[in-house]
Amino acid sequence: MMPELGKYAVSVMSAYGVTVVLLVGIVAQSLWRAARVRRALEAQEQRTGAHNG
Amino acid sequence: MSIWEYANPKKFMQTSAWALPWFTGLAAITLVTGLVWGFFFTPEAANFGTTVKIIYIHVPSAMMAINIWVMMLVTSLIWLIRRHHVSALAAKAAAPVGLVMTLIALFTGAIWGQPMWGTWWEWDPRLTSFLILGLFYLGYIALWQAIDNPDTAADLTGVLCLVGSVFALLSRYAVNFWNQGLHQGASLSVDKQENVSDVYWYPLLFCIAGFILLFIVLVLVRTRTEVRSRRLKALEARERLA
């Protein structure tokens, strides 16, 4: 299944590796911050009795 | 119905909540299809060997790095002219994604350049303007972090965005302007004769669509977070005053 990459295997795999790490990183950071801010807003709205429509 | 309705945070939150699952599904399907097709099912190229497979991440990320800045320019102009908060927050939300795309383009370009050109880096017009674009992304993010007042931050980052647009354009057209350096011309063009061969072109189109959709998903998630964060700060300020 794995394609034969020959003498460029390290270059191709490292390019894909860097890309996956950076993309997973930005997706994870976006979701983590989204969850953190949503929880904080819900707690604040409960405290103050405000609602976010 | 006017497009400006979406500048209303409540309307934006409702619409984006509906749209997000669809865009997420489409992004996953197109990105996985393009990358699997390109990586596993395309032949090696006569001139690039198997490094041609890097095109499926390098070209879409480079396109996105430039186009995300253009999106930030448009939303910043909407903020500066019409003072719609959601557009300023969308520009803020897009910047880290743009920085990541720029880093991917720079890293994969260096990794591709080493076996093809014999060097990781060259002070070539396109590479240099791309590095400067990356520094503009860093400066833009830092400026948002450095200013407490969100409206002032949006104003100043909007101006920075206008200035940085020169480098976004240079990144795209540097090869044409100077006609020198190592970097080749565009791999994609409206003119079919200038495009890469069909066997690479079709999976590349899927990858480009996947990167665009991934960006839309990320910018919606991050803008929703910025809208919530803004409301959180407003409620905290109201509580402090009470």
Side-chain angles (χ1 to χ4, degrees), chain B:
Chain B
M1 193 172 83
S2 163
I3 191 171
W4 302 116
E5 280 187 34
Y6 296 99
N8 178 318
K10 193 171 176 180
K11 177 76 177 168
F12 170 79
M13 294 300 276
Q14 285 171 347
T15 310
S16 58
W18 174 85
L20 253 176
W22 294 99
F23 278 114
T24 305
L26 270 176
I29 291 167
T30 48
L31 200 53
V32 169
T33 303
L35 289 176
V36 169
W37 187 355
F39 188 84
F40 290 100
F41 302 106
T42 54
E44 66 179 85
N47 46 353
F48 292 117
T50 54
T51 64
V52 73
K53 294 179 189 297
I54 298 175
I55 200 172
Y56 303 109
I57 43 181
H58 180 70
V59 169
S61 59
M63 286 179 71
M64 291 312 296
I66 297 168
N67 290 324
I68 289 171
W69 193 275
V70 174
M71 171 265 178
M72 288 163 56
L73 171 66
V74 172
T75 50
S76 296
L77 283 173
I78 292 171
W79 161 255
L80 290 172
I81 296 166
R82 297 190 65 129
R83 313 305 282 181
H84 289 314
H85 286 103
V86 172
S87 64
L89 296 178
K92 181 185 181 185
V97 188
L99 177 63
V100 164
M101 293 296 173
T102 310
L103 289 175
I104 291 173
L106 286 171
F107 279 125
T108 56
I111 292 168
W112 201 355
Q114 210 286 328
M116 292 297 107
W117 300 335
T119 180
W120 299 97
W121 180 261
E122 179 72 34
W123 294 101
D124 161 291
R126 178 171 277 190
L127 273 62
T128 307
S129 55
F130 232 91
L131 177 64
I132 296 172
L133 179 64
L135 296 176
F136 263 95
Y137 271 119
L138 274 176
Y140 182 93
I141 294 165
L143 194 54
W144 265 107
Q145 300 292 327
I147 300 168
D148 285 335
N149 185 309
D151 285 3
T152 308
D155 286 341
L156 294 178
T157 54
V159 173
L160 181 65
C161 196
L162 290 176
V163 178
S165 299
V166 175
F167 287 94
L169 280 176
L170 279 180
S171 306
R172 173 65 184 81
Y173 295 107
V175 173
N176 310 9
F177 288 157
W178 283 289
N179 198 26
Q180 64 179 39
L182 290 173
H183 202 289
Q184 69 194 65
S187 304
L188 298 172
S189 168
V190 177
D191 181 356
K192 187 112 179 37
Q193 296 298 316
E194 292 181 15
N195 279 326
V196 292
S197 157
D198 281 353
V199 70
Y200 307 112
W201 161 253
Y202 292 118
L204 183 54
L205 284 183
F206 267 87
C207 288
I208 290 170
F211 270 70
I212 292 170
L213 288 163
L214 176 64
F215 167 67
I216 291 172
V217 169
L218 285 173
V219 88
L220 285 178
V221 168
R222 297 179 71 91
T223 306
R224 287 169 61 81
T225 302
E226 293 300 334
V227 170
R228 286 192 172 117
S229 175
R230 190 168 177 272
R231 176 168 167 79
L232 175 63
K233 283 174 188 161
L235 289 177
E236 286 171 346
R238 197 189 300 171
E239 192 179 43
R240 277 196 300 274
L241 288 174

